[in-house]
Amino acid sequence: GNSVTQMEGPVTLSEEAFLTINCTYTATGYPSLFWYVQYPGEGLQLLLKATKADDKGSNKGFEATYRKETTSFHLEKGSVQVSDSAVYFCALSVLSGGSYIPTFGRGTSLIVHP
Amino acid sequence: NAGVTQTPKFRVLKTGQSMTLLCAQDMNHEYMYWYRQDPGMGLRLIHYSVGEGTTAKGEVPDGYNVSRLKKQNFLLGLESAAPSQTSVYFCASSLRRGLTDTQYFGPGTRLTVL
């Protein structure tokens, strides 16, 4: 089946630190990969996505590269801000049994201190 | 353009009671989804719809029913609520059910079943 594994949180950083949140996946086909972000009290919103191997998705200083050889899509940011405190979800979409079933990871909470 | 809205935002039920959660989107999206979010479990797909008048089961459909009588609305029903259904429920929509499509999420409904 399809699955997404994310590093457990919370991840606690000081402002301006470097961020990495690991994400690996298993999929029965060739998936598209996504990172969604959930700010406190809100629904999820798309942060970035990549649709084929070696693609790099980027947005708001975050980036992730689709690595087919390691089945990974790690999220990185060079200098985090307090406002980046949120829960981050890695997700995939792949054709399975005639439908595109979205699969989400469990989420990783990021806490950034001033 | 309100995006995806959910009604109500909060609800407390007693075991055995019934209720309906309403999701509405004004983006003319074909596809709509209902998820539940539980601590440590991430998002799990309950039911989804690929168009007006259609519904299909997701990963955790038991105890829930859905209807999509109008393209813009997707209703989630609990016929006889159980404490195990205490969760945060998110509705989402996408333009089409494709490999690369972004999902747009509502703000969530926090349901407590006593």
Side-chain angles (χ1 to χ4, degrees), chain B residues 32-94:
Chain B
M32 298 186 75
Y33 315 80
W34 274 108
Y35 295 91
R36 58 178 291 172
Q37 183 180 34
D38 301 295
M41 298 295 291
L43 288 175
R44 292 183 291 171
L45 183 64
I46 305 171
H47 286 281
Y48 62 95
S49 168
V50 301
E52 183 177 318
T54 73
T55 62
K57 294 180 180 179
E59 180 186 356
V60 288
D62 293 342
Y64 305 95
N65 57 76
V66 288
S67 64
R68 183 100 180 268
L69 299 180
K70 294 183 178 181
K71 185 177 183 178
Q72 64 267 34
N73 296 336
F74 194 29
L75 278 62
L76 178 71
L78 285 72
E79 293 182 343
S80 180
S84 61
Q85 294 178 303
T86 293
S87 188
V88 180
Y89 292 86
F90 286 100
C91 176
S93 70
S94 63

Coordinates of all heavy atoms in Angstrom, one line a residue, chain B residues 32-94:
Chain B
M32 N -14.6 16.6 -3.5 CA -14.7 17.0 -2.1 C -14.4 15.8 -1.2 O -14.6 14.6 -1.6 CB -16.0 17.6 -1.8 CG -16.3 18.8 -2.6 SD -17.8 19.7 -2.1 CE -17.3 20.5 -0.6
Y33 N -13.8 16.1 0.0 CA -13.3 15.0 0.9 C -13.7 15.4 2.3 O -13.8 16.5 2.7 CB -11.8 14.9 0.8 CG -11.2 15.0 -0.6 CD1 -11.0 16.2 -1.2 CD2 -10.8 13.8 -1.2 CE1 -10.4 16.2 -2.5 CE2 -10.2 13.8 -2.4 CZ -10.0 15.0 -3.1 OH -9.4 15.1 -4.3
W34 N -13.9 14.3 3.1 CA -14.0 14.5 4.6 C -12.9 13.7 5.2 O -12.7 12.5 4.9 CB -15.3 14.0 5.1 CG -16.4 15.0 5.0 CD1 -17.5 15.0 4.2 CD2 -16.6 16.1 5.9 NE1 -18.3 16.1 4.4 CE2 -17.8 16.8 5.4 CE3 -15.9 16.7 6.9 CZ2 -18.2 18.0 6.1 CZ3 -16.3 17.8 7.5 CH2 -17.5 18.5 7.1
Y35 N -12.2 14.4 6.1 CA -11.1 13.7 6.9 C -11.4 13.9 8.4 O -12.1 14.8 8.8 CB -9.7 14.4 6.7 CG -9.2 14.3 5.3 CD1 -9.5 15.3 4.3 CD2 -8.3 13.3 5.0 CE1 -8.9 15.2 3.0 CE2 -7.8 13.2 3.7 CZ -8.1 14.1 2.7 OH -7.5 14.1 1.5
R36 N -10.8 13.0 9.2 CA -10.7 13.2 10.6 C -9.3 13.3 11.0 O -8.4 12.6 10.5 CB -11.5 12.2 11.4 CG -11.1 10.8 11.2 CD -11.9 9.8 12.1 NE -11.6 10.0 13.5 CZ -12.2 9.4 14.5 NH1 -13.3 8.6 14.3 NH2 -11.9 9.6 15.8
Q37 N -9.0 14.2 12.0 CA -7.7 14.4 12.5 C -7.6 14.0 14.0 O -8.3 14.7 14.8 CB -7.2 15.8 12.3 CG -5.8 16.0 12.7 CD -5.3 17.5 12.5 OE1 -6.1 18.4 12.6 NE2 -4.0 17.6 12.1
D38 N -6.8 13.0 14.3 CA -6.7 12.6 15.7 C -5.2 12.7 16.1 O -4.3 12.5 15.3 CB -7.2 11.2 15.9 CG -8.6 11.0 15.5 OD1 -9.5 11.6 16.2 OD2 -8.9 10.3 14.5
P39 N -4.9 13.0 17.4 CA -3.5 13.2 17.8 C -2.7 11.9 17.5 O -3.1 10.8 17.8 CB -3.7 13.3 19.4 CG -5.1 13.9 19.5 CD -5.9 13.2 18.5
G40 N -1.6 12.1 16.9 CA -0.7 11.1 16.6 C -1.1 10.2 15.4 O -0.4 9.3 15.0
M41 N -2.2 10.5 14.8 CA -2.8 9.7 13.6 C -2.7 10.5 12.3 O -3.0 10.0 11.3 CB -4.2 9.3 13.9 CG -4.3 8.4 15.1 SD -3.5 6.8 14.9 CE -4.5 6.1 13.7
G42 N -2.5 11.8 12.4 CA -2.5 12.6 11.2 C -4.0 12.6 10.6 O -4.9 12.6 11.3
L43 N -4.1 12.8 9.3 CA -5.4 12.9 8.6 C -5.7 11.5 8.1 O -5.0 10.9 7.4 CB -5.3 13.9 7.5 CG -5.2 15.4 7.9 CD1 -5.0 16.2 6.6 CD2 -6.5 15.8 8.6
R44 N -7.0 11.2 8.3 CA -7.5 9.9 7.7 C -8.8 10.2 6.9 O -9.7 10.9 7.4 CB -7.8 8.9 8.8 CG -6.5 8.4 9.5 CD -6.8 7.3 10.5 NE -7.5 7.8 11.7 CZ -8.1 7.1 12.6 NH1 -8.0 5.7 12.5 NH2 -8.7 7.6 13.6
L45 N -8.8 9.7 5.7 CA -9.9 10.0 4.8 C -11.1 9.1 5.2 O -11.1 7.9 5.3 CB -9.5 9.7 3.4 CG -10.5 10.0 2.3 CD1 -10.8 11.4 2.2 CD2 -9.9 9.4 0.9
I46 N -12.3 9.8 5.4 CA -13.5 9.1 5.8 C -14.3 8.8 4.5 O -14.6 7.6 4.3 CB -14.4 10.0 6.7 CG1 -13.6 10.5 7.9 CG2 -15.6 9.3 7.1 CD1 -14.3 11.5 8.7
H47 N -14.7 9.8 3.8 CA -15.5 9.6 2.5 C -15.0 10.7 1.5 O -14.5 11.7 2.0 CB -17.0 9.7 2.7 CG -17.6 8.6 3.4 ND1 -18.0 7.4 2.7 CD2 -18.0 8.4 4.7 CE1 -18.6 6.6 3.6 NE2 -18.6 7.1 4.7
Y48 N -15.3 10.4 0.3 CA -15.0 11.5 -0.7 C -16.0 11.4 -1.8 O -16.8 10.5 -1.9 CB -13.6 11.3 -1.3 CG -13.3 10.1 -2.0 CD1 -13.4 10.0 -3.4 CD2 -12.9 8.9 -1.4 CE1 -13.1 8.8 -4.1 CE2 -12.6 7.7 -2.0 CZ -12.7 7.7 -3.4 OH -12.5 6.5 -4.1
S49 N -16.0 12.5 -2.6 CA -17.0 12.6 -3.7 C -16.3 13.1 -5.0 O -15.5 14.1 -4.9 CB -18.1 13.5 -3.4 OG -18.9 13.8 -4.5
V50 N -16.5 12.5 -6.1 CA -15.9 12.9 -7.3 C -16.8 13.8 -8.2 O -16.4 14.1 -9.3 CB -15.3 11.7 -8.1 CG1 -14.3 10.9 -7.3 CG2 -16.4 10.8 -8.6
G51 N -18.0 14.1 -7.7 CA -18.9 14.9 -8.4 C -20.3 14.9 -7.8 O -20.5 14.1 -6.9
E52 N -21.1 15.8 -8.2 CA -22.5 15.9 -7.7 C -23.2 14.6 -7.8 O -23.1 13.9 -8.9 CB -23.2 17.0 -8.5 CG -24.6 17.2 -8.0 CD -25.3 18.4 -8.8 OE1 -24.6 19.4 -9.1 OE2 -26.5 18.2 -9.2
G53 N -23.8 14.1 -6.7 CA -24.5 12.9 -6.7 C -23.7 11.6 -6.5 O -24.2 10.5 -6.5
T54 N -22.4 11.8 -6.3 CA -21.5 10.6 -6.2 C -20.8 10.7 -4.8 O -20.5 11.7 -4.3 CB -20.4 10.5 -7.3 OG1 -19.4 11.5 -7.0 CG2 -21.0 10.7 -8.6
T55 N -20.6 9.5 -4.2 CA -19.8 9.4 -3.0 C -19.1 8.1 -3.0 O -19.5 7.1 -3.7 CB -20.7 9.5 -1.7 OG1 -21.6 8.4 -1.7 CG2 -21.5 10.8 -1.6
A56 N -18.0 8.0 -2.2 CA -17.2 6.8 -2.1 C -16.5 6.7 -0.8 O -16.3 7.7 -0.1 CB -16.1 6.7 -3.2
K57 N -16.2 5.5 -0.3 CA -15.6 5.3 1.0 C -14.1 5.5 1.0 O -13.5 5.2 0.0 CB -15.9 3.8 1.5 CG -17.4 3.6 1.7 CD -17.6 2.1 2.2 CE -19.1 1.8 2.5 NZ -19.3 0.4 2.9
G58 N -13.7 6.1 2.1 CA -12.2 6.3 2.2 C -11.7 5.2 3.2 O -12.1 4.1 3.2
E59 N -10.7 5.6 4.0 CA -10.0 4.7 4.8 C -10.8 4.3 6.1 O -10.7 3.1 6.5 CB -8.7 5.4 5.3 CG -7.8 4.6 6.2 CD -6.6 5.3 6.7 OE1 -6.4 6.5 6.3 OE2 -5.8 4.8 7.5
V60 N -11.6 5.2 6.6 CA -12.3 5.0 7.9 C -13.8 5.4 7.8 O -14.2 6.3 8.4 CB -11.6 5.7 9.1 CG1 -10.3 5.0 9.4 CG2 -11.4 7.2 8.7
P61 N -14.6 4.7 6.9 CA -15.9 5.1 6.7 C -17.0 4.7 7.7 O -18.1 5.2 7.7 CB -16.2 4.5 5.3 CG -15.5 3.2 5.4 CD -14.2 3.5 6.1
D62 N -16.6 3.7 8.5 CA -17.7 3.1 9.4 C -18.2 4.1 10.4 O -17.5 4.8 11.1 CB -17.1 1.9 10.2 CG -16.8 0.8 9.2 OD1 -17.3 0.8 8.1 OD2 -16.0 -0.1 9.6
G63 N -19.6 4.2 10.5 CA -20.2 5.1 11.5 C -20.6 6.4 10.9 O -21.1 7.3 11.6
Y64 N -20.2 6.6 9.6 CA -20.5 7.9 8.9 C -21.2 7.7 7.6 O -21.0 6.7 7.0 CB -19.2 8.6 8.6 CG -18.2 8.9 9.7 CD1 -17.2 7.9 10.0 CD2 -18.3 10.0 10.5 CE1 -16.3 8.1 11.1 CE2 -17.5 10.2 11.6 CZ -16.5 9.3 11.8 OH -15.6 9.5 12.9
N65 N -22.0 8.7 7.2 CA -22.6 8.7 5.9 C -22.5 10.1 5.3 O -22.3 11.0 6.0 CB -24.1 8.3 6.0 CG -24.9 9.2 6.9 OD1 -25.2 10.3 6.5 ND2 -25.2 8.7 8.1
V66 N -22.5 10.1 4.0 CA -22.3 11.4 3.3 C -23.3 11.6 2.2 O -23.9 10.6 1.7 CB -20.8 11.5 2.7 CG1 -19.8 11.7 3.8 CG2 -20.5 10.3 1.8
S67 N -23.5 12.8 1.8 CA -24.3 13.1 0.6 C -23.8 14.3 -0.1 O -23.2 15.3 0.5 CB -25.8 13.3 1.0 OG -25.9 14.4 1.8
R68 N -23.9 14.3 -1.4 CA -23.4 15.4 -2.3 C -24.6 15.7 -3.3 O -24.5 15.4 -4.5 CB -22.2 15.0 -3.0 CG -21.6 16.1 -3.9 CD -20.4 16.8 -3.3 NE -19.9 17.9 -4.1 CZ -18.9 17.7 -4.9 NH1 -18.3 16.5 -5.1 NH2 -18.4 18.7 -5.6
L69 N -25.6 16.3 -2.8 CA -26.8 16.6 -3.6 C -26.5 17.8 -4.5 O -27.1 17.9 -5.6 CB -28.0 16.9 -2.7 CG -28.4 15.7 -1.9 CD1 -29.6 16.0 -1.0 CD2 -28.7 14.4 -2.7
K70 N -25.7 18.8 -4.0 CA -25.3 19.9 -4.8 C -23.8 19.9 -5.0 O -23.1 19.5 -4.0 CB -25.8 21.2 -4.2 CG -27.3 21.4 -4.1 CD -27.6 22.7 -3.5 CE -29.1 22.9 -3.5 NZ -29.5 24.2 -2.9
K71 N -23.3 20.4 -6.1 CA -21.9 20.4 -6.3 C -21.1 21.1 -5.2 O -20.0 20.7 -4.9 CB -21.6 21.1 -7.7 CG -20.2 21.0 -8.1 CD -20.0 21.6 -9.5 CE -18.6 21.5 -10.0 NZ -18.4 22.1 -11.4
Q72 N -21.7 22.2 -4.7 CA -20.9 23.0 -3.8 C -21.0 22.5 -2.3 O -20.2 23.0 -1.5 CB -21.4 24.5 -3.8 CG -22.9 24.7 -3.4 CD -23.8 24.6 -4.6 OE1 -23.6 23.9 -5.5 NE2 -24.9 25.4 -4.5
N73 N -21.8 21.5 -2.0 CA -22.0 21.1 -0.7 C -21.7 19.6 -0.5 O -22.0 18.8 -1.3 CB -23.5 21.3 -0.2 CG -23.8 22.8 -0.1 OD1 -23.0 23.7 0.0 ND2 -25.1 23.1 -0.2
F74 N -21.1 19.3 0.6 CA -20.8 17.9 1.0 C -21.1 17.7 2.4 O -20.5 18.3 3.3 CB -19.3 17.6 0.7 CG -18.9 16.2 0.6 CD1 -19.8 15.2 0.3 CD2 -17.6 15.8 0.9 CE1 -19.5 13.9 0.2 CE2 -17.2 14.4 0.9 CZ -18.2 13.5 0.5
L75 N -22.1 16.9 2.7 CA -22.5 16.7 4.1 C -22.0 15.4 4.7 O -22.0 14.4 4.0 CB -24.1 16.7 4.1 CG -24.8 18.0 4.1 CD1 -24.6 18.8 2.9 CD2 -26.3 17.8 4.3
L76 N -21.6 15.5 6.0 CA -21.1 14.3 6.7 C -22.1 14.1 7.8 O -22.3 15.0 8.7 CB -19.7 14.5 7.2 CG -19.1 13.4 8.1 CD1 -18.8 12.2 7.2 CD2 -17.9 13.9 8.8
G77 N -22.7 12.9 7.9 CA -23.6 12.5 9.0 C -23.1 11.5 9.9 O -22.4 10.6 9.5
L78 N -23.5 11.7 11.2 CA -23.2 10.7 12.2 C -24.6 10.2 12.7 O -25.3 11.0 13.3 CB -22.4 11.2 13.4 CG -20.9 11.5 13.2 CD1 -20.7 12.7 12.3 CD2 -20.3 11.7 14.5
E79 N -25.0 9.0 12.4 CA -26.3 8.5 12.8 C -26.5 8.3 14.3 O -27.5 8.6 14.9 CB -26.7 7.3 12.0 CG -26.8 7.5 10.5 CD -27.2 6.3 9.7 OE1 -27.0 5.2 10.3 OE2 -27.6 6.4 8.6
S80 N -25.4 7.7 14.9 CA -25.5 7.4 16.3 C -24.1 7.6 16.8 O -23.2 6.7 16.8 CB -25.9 5.9 16.5 OG -25.9 5.6 17.9
A81 N -23.8 8.8 17.4 CA -22.5 9.2 17.7 C -21.9 8.3 18.8 O -22.6 7.9 19.8 CB -22.4 10.6 18.1
A82 N -20.6 8.0 18.8 CA -19.9 7.2 19.8 C -18.7 8.0 20.2 O -18.1 8.9 19.5 CB -19.4 5.9 19.2
P83 N -18.2 7.8 21.4 CA -17.0 8.6 21.9 C -15.8 8.4 21.0 O -15.0 9.4 21.0 CB -16.8 7.9 23.3 CG -18.1 7.5 23.8 CD -18.8 7.0 22.5
S84 N -15.7 7.3 20.3 CA -14.5 7.1 19.4 C -14.6 8.1 18.2 O -13.6 8.2 17.5 CB -14.5 5.7 18.9 OG -15.7 5.4 18.1
Q85 N -15.7 8.8 18.0 CA -15.8 9.7 17.0 C -15.5 11.1 17.4 O -15.6 12.1 16.6 CB -17.2 9.7 16.4 CG -17.5 8.4 15.7 CD -18.9 8.3 15.1 OE1 -19.9 8.4 15.9 NE2 -19.1 8.0 13.8
T86 N -15.0 11.3 18.6 CA -14.5 12.6 19.1 C -13.2 12.9 18.3 O -12.3 12.0 18.3 CB -14.2 12.5 20.6 OG1 -15.4 12.4 21.3 CG2 -13.4 13.7 21.0
S87 N -13.2 14.0 17.6 CA -12.1 14.3 16.7 C -12.3 15.7 16.1 O -13.3 16.4 16.4 CB -12.2 13.3 15.5 OG -11.0 13.4 14.7
V88 N -11.3 16.1 15.3 CA -11.5 17.3 14.5 C -11.7 16.9 13.1 O -10.9 16.1 12.6 CB -10.3 18.2 14.6 CG1 -10.5 19.5 13.8 CG2 -10.0 18.6 16.1
Y89 N -12.8 17.4 12.5 CA -13.2 17.0 11.1 C -12.8 18.1 10.2 O -13.2 19.2 10.4 CB -14.7 16.6 11.1 CG -15.0 15.4 11.9 CD1 -15.2 15.4 13.2 CD2 -15.0 14.1 11.3 CE1 -15.5 14.3 14.0 CE2 -15.3 13.0 12.0 CZ -15.5 13.1 13.3 OH -15.8 11.9 14.0
F90 N -12.2 17.7 9.1 CA -11.8 18.7 8.1 C -12.4 18.3 6.7 O -12.4 17.1 6.3 CB -10.3 18.8 7.9 CG -9.6 19.5 9.0 CD1 -9.0 18.8 10.0 CD2 -9.6 20.9 9.0 CE1 -8.3 19.4 11.0 CE2 -8.9 21.5 10.0 CZ -8.3 20.8 11.0
C91 N -13.0 19.2 6.1 CA -13.5 19.1 4.7 C -12.4 19.7 3.8 O -11.7 20.7 4.1 CB -14.8 19.8 4.5 SG -15.5 19.8 2.9
A92 N -12.3 19.1 2.6 CA -11.4 19.6 1.6 C -12.0 19.5 0.2 O -12.9 18.7 0.0 CB -10.0 18.9 1.6
S93 N -11.5 20.3 -0.7 CA -12.0 20.2 -2.1 C -10.8 20.3 -3.0 O -9.8 20.9 -2.7 CB -13.0 21.2 -2.4 OG -12.5 22.5 -2.4
S94 N -10.9 19.8 -4.2 CA -9.9 20.0 -5.3 C -10.6 20.1 -6.6 O -11.7 19.6 -6.8 CB -8.9 18.9 -5.3 OG -9.5 17.6 -5.6

